[in-house]
Each structure stands twice: as structure tokens, then as C-alpha cells.
Amino acid sequence: MSDQHHQHRADRPRGSGRPRGTAGPGYERDSRSGRHPRGGRPPSDPARQAAYEAIAAVHRDDAYANLVLPDILRGMGLTGRDAAFATELTYGTLRTLGTIDLILADASGREVARIDPPARDALRLGTYQLLYTRVPAHAAVSQTVDLVRSVATGAAGFANAVLRTIAEKPLEDWLAKLAPAYDENPVGNLSVHHNHPEWIIRSFAESLGGDLDETARLLIDDNQPPGVHLCARPGRADAVELADEVGGTPGAFSPYTVYLGGGAPGNLSAIRDGRAHVQDEGSQLVAAALLAAEVDGRDTRWLDLCAGPGGKTALLGSIAALRGAEVTAVEVAEHRARLVENATEGMPVTVLPMDGRSVGRDPDLPEDGFDRVLVDAPCTGLGSLRRRPESRWRRRPADLPPLTKLQRELLVAALRAVRPGGVVAYVTCSPHMVETQVTVTEGARRSGVEVDFVDARPLLPPGMPGLGAGPTVQLWPHRHGTDAMFLAMLRRTA
Ligand SMILES: C[S@@+](CC[C@H](N)C(=O)[O-])C[C@H]1O[C@@H](n2cnc3c(N)ncnc32)[C@H](O)[C@@H]1O
């Protein structure tokens, strides 16, 4: 699945994947409504039922948990501790799916693919409770068996037997039994222990210079839910004052960042009245880095070539208002272009709903026309797996070729759009070398213009640790507490 598909699907009506009324293979019997499990007996408690429905929607409808779960919680009227429990169960089960399926296959003595899908998803949820939470075993088993009874007629006895087998051993014993020995297959071992597919672990390790100890630390942090970061919009809010206002703390690195302590950011007046927006600190850092690079002469025409939904455009637009600059924001998906318009209300930003590769073919996107250009390219999103629990199991290496072609073409367009002496920031929320170093090197080579790499490290706040040998920068959850954003800064020399 390419990121383009990802974007389009993510933008369908909330929670939907497949069209309504259709169901994925194996779910027909029990979940034709697309929502509520059917059956003669009452299902398990509401939080578990909500988690089951979200997990089933992810697998049955190709839905996204972060989109579908809020709708389910709202529909069931779940708030507070129930909503938090349902969220933990949903995200935890989806994140640990690879290992859970190994355990389920071993305990049931059959391939997981051969278990009836509704029973399979309920069993996954039960296994997660047994091995990854403090839910007492008897409650995990009985609640899951009740759930199975309501969604998969006739499977309750099977589920009971499988769950009792799983409950016989703690997680460590299951991992010791099923993971390959570290000495013989370190990546396979890390995959089972830390719930990431092997090809993703290999790509992280390659980006970390082959250091598997550090890779393991990354995987551990990649399994933690990320904190909520706010961006205090320059000229509209001050990060220290905003932190006081919302009961948060100023960010460790970006002067605009506030770490929110808790609560729903949507309820904050600072967000409602346009003084701040939700944005990972890493995203704020790479957007601000574009503006920290020196350019000679004119510095008023900035271009954001992949703008939707507009987080980085909003930061650039706030600073443009202070510096007398103007931002042109390009976004190919019309509905996402509208999100950019909403995000940049009152800022000197012009949104163009068009393909960023039209540089030189559209009067609004002239060659040599801009002083600074941001290419926040569509990517696999491997750097933000913390936010999308199912994503690691959905992504495939085959997603890379079409994405890297698009990334390269957008970078070439950016290098043609910038004037000689201007700068281009190439950014991805993936640390995969094929999307980062390879794309940048190839894009620069094919652009037909002369470029130099600018050392991106001094463009980040002073004293930031772990920025490597340059000239590009890779941020990491375990080093910086941010998404794994990549930044390459290029200057057009002629
Ligand atoms: C990584 S996201 C950008 C995130 C955004 N910069 C932000 O901070 O909110 C990449 C965006 O590029 C858009 N996109 C994909 N192909 C494009 C193209 N050919 N031209 C312009 N935008 C494109 C996608 O629709 C998506 O919104």
C-alpha cells in the first residue's frame, strides 16, 4: 500500500474502510452490519466490546484504529477510564499482533489464518490481556469467552481451551519458546520480543549504523504511546506561557513546543482560537530548520510542496507573517488542501490544490521562483509507528518503489522551483534509507540543477544530542522523543 493510498483511505468518512454493507472474508456470518457483533448472549463488558469492534474493523474493513476507535467510543457512550481501557486494549493488541499470532498458533495447534476471523480477533484481544496487561487471568478468559460466544457461534469451547493454554505460561516463557535465539538470528529475536516485522527492524538498524543494541532501545520506545505535543504559533503564542496555560511543559528542543500533560487537546481554547496546533516536536524542528538556513538576497517567497493537512504550513505561515514573507502551499488531494486552508486561516498562505510536480508547467509554480522550499514527501511513515498501531503489520517492502519514485520526482520539482542561492528542505517521517539518503542523492543527481548539501545540524537548536555526522539529520523516538523525522537541506548553487 503506498502512502498515497494511505492518505486517500485515511480521508474517507471516519472509520470507514470497505463500503458499508460489505464485509471482509470470514466476517460475513457475524458482522454483516459492519458494527455490532450479533448473537444470542450479551457480549463482554463495553470497553472490551469497543476494543473488539475497533480491531475487527481494522482487519475486516482495512480501517485505521486512530480513526475508527473514537467513533466507536462515542457511539457506545464510553468516556474516562472505560475509554482509556478500550484504547489501551485496541492499540496494544494491534501493536503486538505479530507475536500474539505466533502464540495463538502454537497454543491452538492451527494456523492463525485458519481461525474464523471474528473468533480470531476476540482471541487476539484475550491473549493481549493475558500476557501484556495486569487483567487477572480468570477475567481475561471469561470475558473473552463471552465475547467469542457473541461474535462466533460455536467457537466458545475452542476459545476457552486456547486461552487456558496461553494462561499457563507468562509472556517471558512464550517468548523464550517461540523467538529464535538471539545469537543465531538477532533480528528474528528482536522481532518477536519487540513486536516489529523483521524488514522494518533491518531498515532501522541500517539507519542506526548496524547497532542492534541501539535498535532494540528504539523498538522499545516505538512501542510506547507518544505524548501530545503542541506548537505555540510564533507571533500568536509563547511556548512558556502556553505551557502554564495548559498545564504542560516547554519542549526540550524546539522553542515552539509544549508537551501536554494530559487531557484532550481539542478542548483547549489555545487550539480553538488558532494560537496553537497539535504537532510532533520533530515536525516543528524540521519545518523551522528550513527557515534557519541562510539565503542571500530576497527571502519572501516560500513554497510548501506537500502541504496537507497543514501542520508544517501553519508553522511556516506564522513565521511568514512576522517576516513579511508569503507561503505557497501545494497539496494534490483536494480535501487535504481544504484542511491546509483551515489550518492557515489568517496567515499569508495561498493554497494550490494541484500536483507538486507541475513546477514549470503552471504559472503559479514557476521554475526559479522561490527562496525556500519544503518537500515533506509522502512516505511509508515508518518513523511514526507509535501513532498507528496497525501500520507496521500492513506496510510491505513493495510499498517502497512507487513511493520513492514519487519522492524523487517531488524533490526534482522542488530543486527546479527554488532559485539559485535558495534552499530546499527534503523531509520524511521515515528513517528508511531508500526514502532518505538514496532518494536525496538520486533526486539531486537527476534534477539537472547544481546543488550543494548544507549541514542540517546547525539548523536545529544548539545542544541537540545524537544528530550524527551530518550533513543530513535523522531524529529518533529513543534519542529525541520525537517521530523519526529525516531532514536533508540542499542549496541550489546555479
Ligand atoms: C507527509 S504528508 C505532508 C504532511 C504536512 N506537510 C504536514 O506537516 O501536515 C504528504 C502530503 O503530500 C501529498 N501529496 C502526495 N503526492 C503529492 C503530489 N504529487 N503533489 C503534491 N502533494 C502530494 C499527500 O496528499 C500528503 O498530504
Side-chain angles (χ1 to χ4, degrees), residues 431-453:
H432 198 300
M433 299 283 264
V434 168
E435 299 182 86
T436 59
Q437 304 292 353
V438 175
T439 294
V440 171
T441 310
E442 270 302 293
R445 192 177 67 77
R446 293 185 195 196
S447 65
V449 299
E450 289 180 25
V451 296
D452 274 348
F453 276 89

Side-chain angles (χ1 to χ4, degrees), residues 203-434:
S203 81
F204 287 172
E206 188 184 7
S207 234
L208 287 167
D211 184 337
L212 286 178
D213 289 340
E214 185 173 2
T215 304
R217 291 199 291 281
L218 162 64
L219 299 178
I220 290 166
D221 278 16
D222 220 26
N223 285 335
Q224 303 305 314
V228 177
H229 298 177
L230 303 180
C231 174
R233 295 176 166 179
R236 296 186 179 195
D238 170 83
V240 175
E241 288 170 14
L242 181 65
D244 285 347
E245 180 184 323
V246 301
T249 48
F253 306 115
S254 162
Y256 312 122
T257 299
V258 172
Y259 302 149
L260 198 58
N267 297 335
L268 299 174
S269 62
I271 292 193
R272 282 202 307 271
D273 60 25
R275 288 180 290 128
H277 59 266
V278 175
Q279 187 175 40
D280 176 66
E281 185 173 23
S283 288
Q284 299 179 41
L285 288 166
V286 294
L290 171 71
L291 306 183
E294 282 189 16
V295 298
D296 289 334
R298 191 191 68 186
D299 188 14
T300 52
R301 300 200 60 194
W302 303 347
L303 172 64
D304 183 349
L305 209 54
C306 300
K312 295 185 190 68
T313 326
L315 178 52
L316 296 179
S318 306
I319 300 176
L322 298 174
R323 293 204 199 164
E326 289 183 0
V327 182
T328 300
V330 179
E331 168 55 51
V332 75
E334 268 191 45
H335 46 293
R336 289 173 76 83
R338 279 197 294 280
L339 295 178
V340 183
E341 277 170 3
N342 293 340
T344 58
E345 214 179 299
M347 298 178 189
V349 175
T350 306
V351 180
L352 304 177
M354 62 166 68
D355 193 314
R357 293 169 292 183
S358 339
V359 169
R361 295 198 301 270
D362 188 288
D364 288 326
L365 285 181
E367 291 198 10
D368 308 348
F370 297 89
D371 309 314
R372 301 178 188 270
V373 182
L374 173 65
V375 192
D376 186 17
C379 70
T380 53
L382 297 185
S384 52
L385 296 179
R386 297 179 301 169
R387 299 175 193 284
R388 302 189 200 117
E390 69 283 340
S391 174
R392 67 191 67 182
W393 308 112
R394 258 190 201 158
R395 280 286 177 201
R396 297 280 175 264
D399 298 338
L400 284 163
L403 273 175
T404 50
K405 179 171 182 289
L406 177 58
Q407 290 161 355
R408 210 170 45 233
E409 290 169 355
L410 285 163
L411 176 57
V412 167
L415 289 169
R416 292 193 179 144
V418 78
R419 65 167 171 85
V423 289
V424 171
Y426 173 82
V427 167
T428 60
C429 62
S430 167
H432 198 300
M433 299 283 264
V434 168

